[in-house]
Amino acid sequence: MALNQDVVVYQIYPRSFKDSNGDGIGDIKGIISKLDYIRSLGVDVIWLSPVYKSPNDDNGYDISDYKDINPEYGTMQDMHKLIIEAGLRGIKIIMDLVINHTSDEHEWFIKSKAKDPKYRDYYIWKEKPNNWTSFFGGKAWTKVDDAYYLHLFSKKQPDLNWKNPEVMKEIKEIMRFWLDKGIYGFRCDVINIIYKTSLENGKKRLVLVGKEHYHQQEGMHEILKTLRKEVLDDYETFTVGETVMVTTKQANDLIMPVRHELDMIFSFSHMEVDQVNNKWFKTKFKPKKFMKTLTKWQNEVYWNANYFENHDQPRSISRFGDDQNYHDESAKMLGTLLFGLKGTPYIYQGQEIGMTNCPFNDMSEFKDVETHRIYDIAKKIGIPKNMRFKMMQKTSRDNARTPMQWSSSCGFSTTTPWIKANPSCEKINVLDQETTADSILNYYRKLIQLRNKHHVLRYGTFESLYESKSVYAFRRFDDDHEVFVICNFSKKPKKIKIYIKGKLLISNIRKKDYNHVLAPYEARMYIKEI
Ligand code: ISL
Ligand code: CA
């Protein structure tokens, strides 16, 4: 396996990480000021969510200039400095490559709209729309003059036409532009939907009508092969694709060494265990389903990108743990699990201190375009007000987008932040955890050190041992060592029903005697020579 997969990645959502100039918006200088903190975690790579020029309809996932920086975040000089300063600390940076769509304010779209012959076909235009629906709900087509353009996300995010070779040329050049600046690679946004094979009507379904015409198409493989051969292979790079609705086989089709289109992919299966039909309808979290899904992906996929959080997902402790009664325990238990799995671990900003979902009180507190669109649709289909508000509280992506909690007064900015700060900062913050030996933060640091120290944790084979209603146990092994990981997902003590040998490597609960009973949300890792 290529060495570049053997890293720990930290995701930064720039808007909410650190504000350096007191305008309430996180920025690049803010990130630079926190590089020593990031280094102190022991991570190798930063994934930076978009910092490109953008009207911010979808917080930067709507790019209006791929070769410029959003002035709210700083300048190209700041970006150069970030790359250099991170490099000096041994940290590489990957950027978000959003190439399914641009902003409608991108020069290409403005010219396309004006029927400029060079640019008209950069996007997908149709005289009569088909029945496709968008990821953010509602129709996927919007009319301009006498024609409609396709947008699988918001109407300010028109889809690029990947059948046009000019689009390929442009994107190749943009990738080189950033790789030449010292960027280590890309997180490729919704990469498995970029190629639209046909624009026929889709089969009737509840969500994403039309997906059979653009999801995981052969044309996408061709594009990725070209980008690999003609750009990525000229550099030392790291790529992770965000792939929606993939199966394990489709994942392998993208990452197996023979094809090697991407180094690894983010899948969603394990994030969908607490939902019915779509993410807005949550059901009770059943740990066993979570375990079974993780095991399946561990067993079937060549190399996983392991994550429990990102900027699109509510906070993991609030979903899979207990953010009220067992905050510390469940945060550390989930960390133990994440670092016990085989693959590349991803930590989303704030996860390392156990940030939780935010108590939003009113629709006006939500900033996310998706949240508002879905709320409106829920209204249209007659879901009562308090119910649809509750849905949004639980599922909104804004739960992950509240400011990073640096101190008990938040410490993100000197002014009111662009989005509500989570009042939990009083109890959950970096400053306190820096000075508490057994904090969640220091536990994450320890997990990263252990992973770096033990080959078996990075490369060892995975084998599931036990999956009950609330206890998950598995082992990892290589030629020399065996590691056992055991996690309790419940508020109740649980008997350990399997025989575990070895020396205790890490545990989230201090005990005199590690007997055969797991405390609520207890997790342990044991190691043994073979
Ligand atoms: O939010 C989601 C996950 O529950 C998805 O519907 C999400 O929109 C999808 O995973 C694609 O996400 C990516 O592309 C979007 C952007 O809004 C997300 O922030 C980004 O991660 C469009 O660029
Ligand atoms: Ca700022």
Side-chain angles (χ1 to χ4, degrees), residues 18-27 72:
K18 176 71 190 166
D19 173 23
S20 73
N21 62 347
D23 63 356
I25 299 170
D27 46 55
E72 287 175 325

Side-chain angles (χ1 to χ4, degrees), residues 390-403:
K390 275 203 182 119
M391 275 167 79
M392 294 306 121
Q393 276 181 315
K394 263 218 159 110
T395 57
S396 174
R397 308 192 292 184
D398 282 341
N399 281 304
R401 299 176 179 185
T402 58

Side-chain angles (χ1 to χ4, degrees), residues 40-57:
S40 80
L41 299 172
V43 303
D44 311 283
V45 173
I46 291 173
W47 152 25
L48 200 61
S49 275
V51 290
Y52 314 94
K53 206 163 173 203
S54 160
N56 267 318
D57 179 57

Side-chain angles (χ1 to χ4, degrees), residues 13 47 58 61-62 96 98 101 135-136 153 157 187 189-190 242 244 268 279-280 310-313 370 397 401:
Y13 196 66
W47 152 25
D58 189 14
Y61 284 90
D62 49 321
D96 233 295
V98 187
H101 45 267
F135 278 70
F136 292 163
F153 292 87
Q157 293 167 299
R187 176 267 192 187
D189 192 62
V190 289
E242 186 207 26
V244 291
F268 286 82
K279 68 170 192 173
W280 297 285
N310 62 35
H311 65 292
D312 290 334
Q313 301 286 341
E370 181 191 61
R397 308 192 292 184
R401 299 176 179 185

